[in-house]
Amino acid sequence: MIWVNEQIDPSGIIYSCIACSDEAQAQACYQSFEDNLSEEQRAAGWVAQMRTVESWDEVPVNALKLSY
């Protein structure tokens, strides 16, 4: 399983994306993405999300890919 963390702007464009195969690292990344959204960004509709995919082929091409 691969965890994909994304920060998405109000128009749905992925601003930041990090994918990794380590769940603990993925949770830390998600928390960092959440913590780094300002109140202004949240009010404007920015979101942080974490999702899982089955293969690296499903990870967005612009992602930083971390693997252990």
Side-chain angles (χ1 to χ4, degrees), residues 9 12 14-15 19 21 26 32 34 38 43 45 47 50-51 54-55 59 64:
D9 75 8
I14 298 172
Y15 179 76
S21 57
S32 175
E34 272 290 316
S38 69
V47 295
M50 183 170 62
R51 60 188 178 94
E54 295 298 320
S55 77
V59 174
L64 173 62

Side-chain angles (χ1 to χ4, degrees), residues 4-58:
V4 179
N5 283 285
E6 301 163 321
Q7 272 187 337
I8 303 171
D9 75 8
S11 64
I13 296 173
I14 298 172
Y15 179 76
S16 297
C17 185
I18 298 176
C20 63
S21 57
D22 178 81
E23 185 176 8
Q25 186 177 34
Q27 291 290 342
C29 179
Y30 173 75
Q31 192 60 52
S32 175
F33 275 13
E34 272 290 316
D35 293 346
N36 287 316
L37 286 177
S38 69
E39 289 304 316
E40 292 81 18
Q41 285 175 311
R42 291 178 197 279
W46 284 73
V47 295
Q49 74 175 16
M50 183 170 62
R51 60 188 178 94
T52 59
V53 296
E54 295 298 320
S55 77
W56 289 102
D57 292 335
E58 298 174 71

